[in-house]
Amino acid sequence: MSFRIAGAALVVVISLALTGCGGEGNDDGKKTIDLNAARGSGAAQNSSGASEEPVSSGGAKLGEIKGPDGVVVTLTSAVRDKGGFVTVNGAVANRGSKPYTPLTWRSKETEMKSQSSVSGASLIDSAGKKRYLVLRDTDGECLCTTGLVNIRPGESRPVFAQFPAPPASVTDVDFQLPTMPSVRIRISG
Protein backbone atom coordinates (compact mmCIF):
# COMPACT_ATOMS: atom_id res chain seq x y z
CA MET A 1 0.00 0.00 0.00
CA SER A 2 2.81 2.46 0.88
CA PHE A 3 4.44 1.79 -2.52
CA ARG A 4 1.20 2.93 -4.20
CA ILE A 5 1.11 6.13 -2.15
CA ALA A 6 4.80 6.81 -2.81
CA GLY A 7 4.29 6.06 -6.52
CA ALA A 8 1.27 8.36 -6.69
CA ALA A 9 3.23 11.12 -4.93
CA LEU A 10 6.10 10.71 -7.41
CA VAL A 11 3.68 10.92 -10.37
CA VAL A 12 2.19 14.11 -8.92
CA VAL A 13 5.62 15.70 -8.41
CA ILE A 14 6.77 14.76 -11.92
CA SER A 15 3.48 15.96 -13.44
CA LEU A 16 3.74 19.30 -11.68
CA ALA A 17 7.38 19.68 -12.73
CA LEU A 18 6.59 18.89 -16.37
CA THR A 19 3.50 21.06 -16.67
CA GLY A 20 4.63 23.89 -14.43
CA CYS A 21 1.16 23.89 -12.91
CA GLY A 22 0.62 24.24 -9.21
CA GLY A 23 -1.21 26.48 -6.87
CA GLU A 24 1.17 29.41 -6.98
CA GLY A 25 -0.71 32.58 -6.32
CA ASN A 26 -2.95 31.07 -3.63
CA ASP A 27 -3.48 33.47 -0.75
CA ASP A 28 -2.34 30.95 1.86
CA GLY A 29 0.74 29.67 0.00
CA LYS A 30 -0.66 26.13 -0.42
CA LYS A 31 -0.17 24.38 -3.73
CA THR A 32 -3.07 22.87 -5.62
CA ILE A 33 -2.12 19.34 -6.64
CA ASP A 34 -3.54 17.63 -9.69
CA LEU A 35 -3.74 14.00 -8.57
CA ASN A 36 -4.91 12.82 -11.96
CA ALA A 37 -2.56 14.73 -14.29
CA ALA A 38 -2.77 13.31 -17.76
CA ARG A 39 -1.26 13.39 -21.19
CA GLY A 40 -3.25 13.71 -24.42
CA SER A 41 -4.33 14.47 -27.98
CA GLY A 42 -7.30 15.86 -29.91
CA ALA A 43 -9.18 18.01 -32.57
CA ALA A 44 -10.67 21.36 -33.90
CA GLN A 45 -11.72 25.08 -33.86
CA ASN A 46 -14.75 27.17 -34.81
CA SER A 47 -15.44 30.28 -36.90
CA SER A 48 -15.04 32.77 -34.06
CA GLY A 49 -11.29 32.27 -33.74
CA ALA A 50 -11.07 28.52 -33.21
CA SER A 51 -10.27 25.68 -35.77
CA GLU A 52 -12.56 23.08 -37.40
CA GLU A 53 -10.46 20.13 -38.59
CA PRO A 54 -9.45 17.31 -36.22
CA VAL A 55 -5.71 17.18 -35.59
CA SER A 56 -3.78 14.07 -34.60
CA SER A 57 -2.06 13.77 -31.24
CA GLY A 58 1.63 13.79 -30.43
CA GLY A 59 2.09 17.40 -29.33
CA ALA A 60 0.04 18.74 -32.23
CA LYS A 61 -2.43 21.57 -31.77
CA LEU A 62 -5.98 20.45 -30.92
CA GLY A 63 -7.43 23.89 -31.18
CA GLU A 64 -6.68 27.56 -30.87
CA ILE A 65 -8.75 30.37 -29.38
CA LYS A 66 -7.94 33.94 -30.30
CA GLY A 67 -9.09 36.51 -27.78
CA PRO A 68 -8.84 40.26 -27.26
CA ASP A 69 -5.56 42.18 -27.12
CA GLY A 70 -3.52 39.47 -28.91
CA VAL A 71 -4.20 36.71 -26.36
CA VAL A 72 -4.10 33.20 -27.87
CA VAL A 73 -4.95 29.95 -26.07
CA THR A 74 -3.55 26.87 -27.82
CA LEU A 75 -4.86 23.48 -26.65
CA THR A 76 -2.50 20.53 -27.15
CA SER A 77 -4.19 17.59 -25.42
CA ALA A 78 -7.48 16.39 -23.95
CA VAL A 79 -7.02 13.00 -22.35
CA ARG A 80 -9.57 10.75 -20.65
CA ASP A 81 -8.07 8.67 -17.85
CA LYS A 82 -9.35 5.50 -16.22
CA GLY A 83 -10.35 7.40 -13.07
CA GLY A 84 -13.20 9.14 -14.91
CA PHE A 85 -11.49 12.47 -15.60
CA VAL A 86 -10.49 14.48 -18.66
CA THR A 87 -7.42 16.71 -18.45
CA VAL A 88 -7.03 19.47 -21.03
CA ASN A 89 -3.52 20.92 -21.50
CA GLY A 90 -2.27 23.85 -23.53
CA ALA A 91 -0.69 27.29 -23.31
CA VAL A 92 -1.80 30.90 -23.18
CA ALA A 93 0.34 33.36 -25.15
CA ASN A 94 0.28 37.13 -25.11
CA ARG A 95 0.92 38.31 -28.66
CA GLY A 96 -0.30 41.80 -27.83
CA SER A 97 1.60 44.91 -26.76
CA LYS A 98 0.58 45.20 -23.10
CA PRO A 99 0.55 42.83 -20.08
CA TYR A 100 -2.56 40.66 -19.72
CA THR A 101 -4.24 39.17 -16.63
CA PRO A 102 -7.20 36.93 -17.56
CA LEU A 103 -9.37 37.66 -14.51
CA THR A 104 -12.51 36.93 -16.55
CA TRP A 105 -11.48 33.28 -16.95
CA ARG A 106 -12.06 32.46 -13.30
CA SER A 107 -15.19 30.92 -11.82
CA LYS A 108 -17.75 33.22 -10.23
CA GLU A 109 -17.57 31.17 -7.00
CA THR A 110 -16.80 33.41 -4.02
CA GLU A 111 -14.99 30.66 -2.08
CA MET A 112 -12.27 30.33 -4.75
CA LYS A 113 -8.92 31.42 -3.28
CA SER A 114 -7.07 32.15 -6.49
CA GLN A 115 -8.59 35.03 -8.42
CA SER A 116 -6.31 34.42 -11.43
CA SER A 117 -7.09 30.96 -12.79
CA VAL A 118 -8.91 29.12 -15.57
CA SER A 119 -11.50 27.83 -13.07
CA GLY A 120 -14.35 29.15 -15.25
CA ALA A 121 -13.47 26.79 -18.12
CA SER A 122 -16.00 24.16 -19.17
CA LEU A 123 -16.45 21.28 -21.60
CA ILE A 124 -19.73 21.18 -23.51
CA ASP A 125 -21.25 17.95 -24.83
CA SER A 126 -23.71 19.41 -27.35
CA ALA A 127 -25.29 16.08 -28.29
CA GLY A 128 -25.82 15.09 -24.65
CA LYS A 129 -26.76 18.66 -23.69
CA LYS A 130 -24.35 18.66 -20.73
CA ARG A 131 -21.76 21.11 -19.41
CA TYR A 132 -18.77 19.79 -17.43
CA LEU A 133 -17.13 22.25 -15.02
CA VAL A 134 -13.55 22.26 -13.72
CA LEU A 135 -13.10 19.91 -10.75
CA ARG A 136 -12.27 21.18 -7.25
CA ASP A 137 -9.96 19.69 -4.62
CA THR A 138 -10.94 19.12 -0.97
CA ASP A 139 -9.97 22.73 -0.13
CA GLY A 140 -12.31 24.07 -2.81
CA GLU A 141 -9.49 25.08 -5.19
CA CYS A 142 -9.80 24.26 -8.86
CA LEU A 143 -7.84 21.42 -10.43
CA CYS A 144 -6.54 23.89 -12.96
CA THR A 145 -3.83 26.45 -13.61
CA THR A 146 -3.76 29.28 -11.09
CA GLY A 147 -1.54 32.33 -10.72
CA LEU A 148 -2.18 33.71 -14.22
CA VAL A 149 -1.21 37.33 -13.60
CA ASN A 150 0.72 39.85 -15.64
CA ILE A 151 1.40 37.75 -18.74
CA ARG A 152 3.90 39.98 -20.55
CA PRO A 153 3.91 40.65 -24.32
CA GLY A 154 5.66 37.75 -26.07
CA GLU A 155 5.27 35.48 -23.01
CA SER A 156 3.60 32.06 -23.06
CA ARG A 157 2.49 30.05 -20.01
CA PRO A 158 1.26 26.46 -19.71
CA VAL A 159 -2.35 25.91 -18.68
CA PHE A 160 -4.40 22.87 -17.71
CA ALA A 161 -7.87 22.11 -16.41
CA GLN A 162 -9.36 18.83 -15.21
CA PHE A 163 -13.01 17.91 -15.72
CA PRO A 164 -15.32 14.96 -14.98
CA ALA A 165 -15.27 12.74 -18.07
CA PRO A 166 -18.29 12.63 -20.36
CA PRO A 167 -19.56 9.14 -21.31
CA ALA A 168 -17.00 7.04 -23.24
CA SER A 169 -19.07 7.43 -26.43
CA VAL A 170 -18.49 11.20 -26.36
CA THR A 171 -15.22 12.08 -28.10
CA ASP A 172 -15.84 15.61 -29.43
CA VAL A 173 -16.64 18.45 -27.03
CA ASP A 174 -16.46 22.24 -27.05
CA PHE A 175 -13.89 23.81 -24.71
CA GLN A 176 -14.99 27.19 -23.35
CA LEU A 177 -13.35 29.97 -21.37
CA PRO A 178 -15.49 32.89 -20.21
CA THR A 179 -15.42 35.88 -22.61
CA MET A 180 -13.62 33.81 -25.29
CA PRO A 181 -14.95 31.91 -28.32
CA SER A 182 -15.32 28.15 -27.86
CA VAL A 183 -13.28 25.55 -29.72
CA ARG A 184 -14.18 21.95 -30.65
CA ILE A 185 -11.64 19.44 -29.40
CA ARG A 186 -11.35 15.64 -29.49
CA ILE A 187 -10.84 13.65 -26.29
CA SER A 188 -8.38 10.79 -26.52
CA GLY A 189 -7.93 7.80 -24.23
Side-chain angles (χ1 to χ4, degrees), residues 72-121:
V72 178
V73 178
T74 303
L75 302 177
T76 56
S77 68
V79 178
R80 181 189 314 266
D81 71 16
K82 293 177 183 165
F85 306 101
V86 169
T87 303
V88 177
N89 288 292
V92 57
N94 183 352
R95 297 181 185 160
S97 60
K98 58 185 177 183
Y100 184 75
T101 298
L103 293 176
T104 58
W105 295 355
R106 69 178 186 236
S107 169
K108 301 280 189 231
E109 296 172 61
T110 57
E111 297 83 27
M112 191 68 61
K113 293 175 187 163
S114 176
Q115 298 299 306
S116 54
S117 69
V118 294
S119 60

Side-chain angles (χ1 to χ4, degrees), residues 65 73 75 86-89 102-109 112 116-124 130-136 142-145 148 159-164 173-183 185:
I65 304 168
V73 178
L75 302 177
V86 169
T87 303
V88 177
N89 288 292
L103 293 176
T104 58
W105 295 355
R106 69 178 186 236
S107 169
K108 301 280 189 231
E109 296 172 61
M112 191 68 61
S116 54
S117 69
V118 294
S119 60
S122 59
L123 294 180
I124 307 298
K130 292 195 178 191
R131 176 183 301 260
Y132 298 89
L133 303 177
V134 175
L135 292 169
R136 307 295 187 249
C142 70
L143 292 179
C144 68
T145 300
L148 286 175
V159 292
F160 84 98
Q162 192 169 56
F163 304 89
V173 293
D174 291 322
F175 177 85
Q176 292 184 332
L177 279 171
T179 73
M180 301 280 279
S182 63
V183 61
I185 59 174

Side-chain angles (χ1 to χ4, degrees), residues 147-173:
L148 286 175
V149 294
N150 198 27
I151 303 170
R152 295 181 311 271
E155 184 179 8
S156 178
R157 295 197 194 164
V159 292
F160 84 98
Q162 192 169 56
F163 304 89
S169 60
V170 176
T171 57
D172 292 336
V173 293

Side-chain angles (χ1 to χ4, degrees), residues 16-94:
L16 290 174
L18 291 176
T19 62
C21 297
E24 52 271 352
N26 288 350
D27 295 338
D28 61 1
K30 292 181 186 175
K31 291 218 178 232
T32 301
I33 298 175
D34 175 9
L35 297 177
N36 295 295
R39 46 281 137 215
S41 72
Q45 291 183 345
N46 70 26
S47 62
S48 55
S51 56
E52 288 290 336
E53 294 300 317
V55 178
S56 66
S57 62
K61 176 171 60 172
L62 285 182
E64 186 174 82
I65 304 168
K66 294 180 181 178
D69 302 321
V71 172
V72 178
V73 178
T74 303
L75 302 177
T76 56
S77 68
V79 178
R80 181 189 314 266
D81 71 16
K82 293 177 183 165
F85 306 101
V86 169
T87 303
V88 177
N89 288 292
V92 57
N94 183 352

